[in-house]
Amino acid sequence: MIIRVLPQLESREEWLAFCRREMPYCLIDHPSCLVDFQTHFLQLTLFENVPEVRYTLGSRRSMEPAWQLIKGCNWSLTRLIEGLASLDFGSNVRDNGLLGLEGELSARRSFPRDAHLHSPASSRLLAPLKTLPQHWCAHTLSCLLANEQFRDWREEQEDASLSAAGVLLDMLDHSEQWSGRPFGPRLQLCYRGQVLASLIPELERYPSEPARRGLLAAPSR
């Protein structure tokens, strides 16, 4: 899936803006991590070391303990992660007293095995197209799809069920296999020379910020 990348989460305003998103789920550049605010839990996946480390913080009853933890760290994701790194989890679970906070807060450390889990450093910006390119390569096609600069998506194979998001993910993983070619007003998307789908480019659909590639499995809820 294509997800947004934020530069940091180091202030109250940045945290509130993050949680106002339709999906409070983003990659963070500094420190390099994935932040996923689920119903009652804050989940942090850190990319600094291999294997990656995941912390799940919160309460089964309310999101208030997670918010109090963030507030207790002065709204600094960096400070929060430093505090977590200093803890001895022992049996992998530590309840109460985390970073000096009392109450229902619990923390769990794990080592994720998500498919296609990559840090922000392995991502690259997919800027929206301003003009139609003379040659449609995988990169220009990815920019078009990631920024939804098209309409009238059409599958061209009867036995295939393709979505724009699914094609984009495969295009990012196997760029050498994909190309595009104009066909009247439409643009055909070809995999190994075979036309799988087509669409009509519409560059007027210009998002407020460029998409950034993130090959990341959707979080479990």
Side-chain angles (χ1 to χ4, degrees):
M1 64 181 293
I2 302 301
I3 63 176
R4 298 300 176 186
V5 180
L6 301 179
Q8 62 181 24
L9 281 175
E10 298 296 325
S11 69
R12 180 177 181 272
E13 292 72 22
E14 290 169 346
W15 275 102
L16 292 178
F18 165 69
C19 287
R20 289 192 192 104
R21 290 174 172 266
E22 182 178 354
M23 290 184 61
Y25 176 68
C26 284
L27 288 167
I28 307 297
D29 270 327
H30 303 288
S32 178
C33 67
L34 169 70
V35 179
D36 180 14
F37 215 139
Q38 302 181 16
T39 306
H40 296 158
F41 289 88
L42 174 65
Q43 192 174 84
L44 306 174
T45 304
L46 312 183
F47 299 103
E48 299 296 336
N49 299 312
V50 178
E52 294 85 2
V53 177
R54 175 173 292 163
Y55 296 102
T56 303
L57 317 164
S59 164
R60 292 186 178 182
R61 300 182 181 181
S62 168
M63 65 184 301
E64 185 62 23
W67 273 116
Q68 289 300 320
L69 174 60
I70 297 168
K71 183 178 179 181
C73 293
N74 198 29
W75 304 95
S76 171
L77 178 62
T78 299
R79 182 175 175 181
L80 173 57
I81 290 175
E82 289 174 350
L84 291 169
S86 69
L87 295 177
D88 180 10
F89 280 79
S91 62
N92 219 33
V93 177
R94 178 181 177 123
D95 294 319
N96 301 320
L98 178 65
L99 303 183
L101 298 176
E102 302 294 338
E104 298 180 352
L105 182 70
S106 67
R108 182 170 63 89
R109 184 181 64 185
S110 59
F111 301 93
R113 297 181 179 180
D114 298 359
H116 303 302
L117 186 61
H118 292 266
S119 72
S122 65
S123 301
R124 60 186 170 93
L125 288 172
L126 294 173
L129 298 178
K130 297 181 180 180
T131 59
L132 293 176
Q134 292 183 348
H135 173 67
W136 286 97
C137 62
H139 176 67
T140 50
L141 290 173
S142 297
C143 291
L144 188 80
L145 295 179
N147 292 285
E148 300 180 349
Q149 293 181 291
F150 65 90
R151 60 180 174 86
D152 197 24
W153 174 269
R154 181 188 300 170
E155 298 172 6
E156 301 292 354
Q157 297 291 327
E158 293 183 359
D159 57 346
S161 179
L162 301 172
S163 67
V167 168
L168 175 58
L169 281 178
D170 194 82
M171 197 173 290
L172 293 172
D173 262 347
H174 308 100
S175 59
E176 71 283 357
Q177 307 289 350
W178 288 90
S179 62
R181 63 189 184 204
F183 185 75
R186 305 189 66 79
L187 175 65
Q188 296 178 330
L189 278 60
C190 306
Y191 179 75
R192 295 182 177 179
Q194 182 179 15
V195 179
L196 296 188
S198 68
L199 51 81
I200 298 178
E202 193 171 81
L203 301 192
E204 289 74 14
R205 294 178 179 232
Y206 200 94
S208 58
E209 58 179 319
R212 193 162 178 176
R213 61 171 288 185
L215 303 186
L216 196 65
S220 57
R221 296 291 183 180

